[in-house]
Amino acid sequence: MIALWMYPLAIATGNTYVLKPTEKAPSASLLLTKYLHDLGLPPGVVNVVNGSKDTVDGILTHPDIKAISFVGSNKAGEYIHDIGSKNGKRVQANMGAKNHATVMMEDADRASTIKAIVGAAFGAAGQRCMALSVVVLVGDLEESRGWAQELVAQAKLLKVGNGFVEGVDVGPLISKDATDRAEEIIEQSIDEGAVCMLDGRGFTVEGFEGGNFLGPTVINLSDQQHIDPNEQITNPAYTEEIFAPVLTVLAVPTLDDAISISNKNAYGNGTAIFTTSGGAARKYQYEIEAGQVGINVPIPVPLPFFSFTGNKASIRGDVNFYGKSGVHFFTQLKTVTSNWQYGKGGDLGGVTMPVLGKA
């Protein structure tokens, strides 16, 4: 899917394209390119190269490559933006995220909101940059416990397994390293005082015992008290982009507190508010800093004719992905000034600068 953000616009605006997929999952990119060639796209318009850091460095320094798009981790994105920019290339790097969903418990539609959050948190096993990884429950602390318990109950209904098996809701993580890292963060968050309401560690699937499975996990940082928006949240379940089916629960008294906490987070990819109050929604959309805002929409990824407008630490580069911004990224502005003379001996300029309105 991610490649489709870039190369259709790139070739539509007259460029050729080199696609370098992750070495951990290259098959989809190879299939996309095969389909393009099968449809008659001339050889060399869209190309695939495989490899790791050496291949990336080749792309970043090659004199014929003018612009680079990247989606992935902050560490890799910052490196690509830095080296690519130093080599005179235009770079857009979409990086990490910690997307917050704010729930106005007093008026949000409870059943549909619970279902939406569970789907957005655990779909794709949490391995998408727009996954909802934090839910901020606004209102009474005791009521927040009830909401958290319902989130757990709904998450328990999800089926974990091989993604190619019909009826499976949550597939495996991309690698053993990713699974180990997620489990270590869960363990550390518990050690630092979090309440693990649903623990998906050690999940095994019959017939796929060696798979990298992590079941839906819900970690509550507000089991005993509201989060104070004036204090820094240091628990790794909140500070780390886990990129796994892990949902962190916070509770705060007011909408102002929820906005304050969300805005203090370094990332700014996406966010959502669940409410039936027009006033709350309007306040949220104007005061929240994240670049993509959903109002009763759990994953507010824009339609293709708009642009993917994540901001803050979620992006490096000044031009966003796809939409009008994407067209700007894959094209270069040019200005042509003409002076056609309809008789000989006209004034084509002299030693002085031209002045507007000169006779």
Side-chain angles (χ1 to χ4, degrees), residues 134-173:
V134 179
V135 58
V136 185
L137 302 172
V138 178
D140 178 70
L141 182 62
E142 184 60 35
E143 187 178 2
S144 76
R145 295 191 184 104
W147 276 76
Q149 289 165 0
E150 287 190 43
L151 286 167
V152 168
Q154 188 72 29
K156 285 181 176 179
L157 300 177
L158 299 178
K159 183 177 180 180
V160 180
N162 183 339
F164 290 102
V165 175
E166 187 175 352
V168 166
D169 301 300
V170 181
L173 297 187

Side-chain angles (χ1 to χ4, degrees), residues 96-162:
K98 198 72 176 178
N99 305 310
H100 292 49
T102 292
V103 178
M104 303 301 294
M105 292 188 294
E106 65 179 6
D107 61 57
D109 183 277
R110 191 160 182 148
S112 62
T113 298
I114 294 287
K115 183 178 179 180
I117 291 172
V118 167
F122 304 122
Q127 299 171 112
R128 48 185 172 181
C129 62
M130 287 296 288
L132 282 180
S133 50
V134 179
V135 58
V136 185
L137 302 172
V138 178
D140 178 70
L141 182 62
E142 184 60 35
E143 187 178 2
S144 76
R145 295 191 184 104
W147 276 76
Q149 289 165 0
E150 287 190 43
L151 286 167
V152 168
Q154 188 72 29
K156 285 181 176 179
L157 300 177
L158 299 178
K159 183 177 180 180
V160 180
N162 183 339

Side-chain angles (χ1 to χ4, degrees), residues 208-251:
F208 303 95
E209 285 78 9
N212 306 311
F213 294 103
L214 176 66
T217 299
V218 178
I219 296 175
N220 194 344
L221 301 187
S222 298
D223 185 66
Q224 298 301 316
Q225 61 184 18
H226 281 126
I227 294 292
D228 185 345
N230 297 313
E231 294 183 3
Q232 185 177 5
I233 304 173
T234 59
N235 191 286
Y238 181 78
T239 58
E240 295 289 331
E241 184 189 27
I242 307 174
F243 221 63
V246 180
L247 178 64
T248 301
V249 179
L250 311 179

Side-chain angles (χ1 to χ4, degrees), residues 173-229:
L173 297 187
I174 192 170
S175 67
K176 184 178 186 303
D177 287 343
T179 309
D180 291 344
R181 176 180 177 272
E183 292 187 345
E184 287 169 5
I185 293 172
I186 293 168
E187 181 68 28
Q188 187 181 350
S189 72
I190 295 169
D191 291 344
E192 295 186 15
V195 174
C196 188
M197 301 180 68
L198 179 62
D199 192 343
R201 291 176 294 173
F203 203 100
T204 58
V205 176
E206 185 178 354
F208 303 95
E209 285 78 9
N212 306 311
F213 294 103
L214 176 66
T217 299
V218 178
I219 296 175
N220 194 344
L221 301 187
S222 298
D223 185 66
Q224 298 301 316
Q225 61 184 18
H226 281 126
I227 294 292
D228 185 345

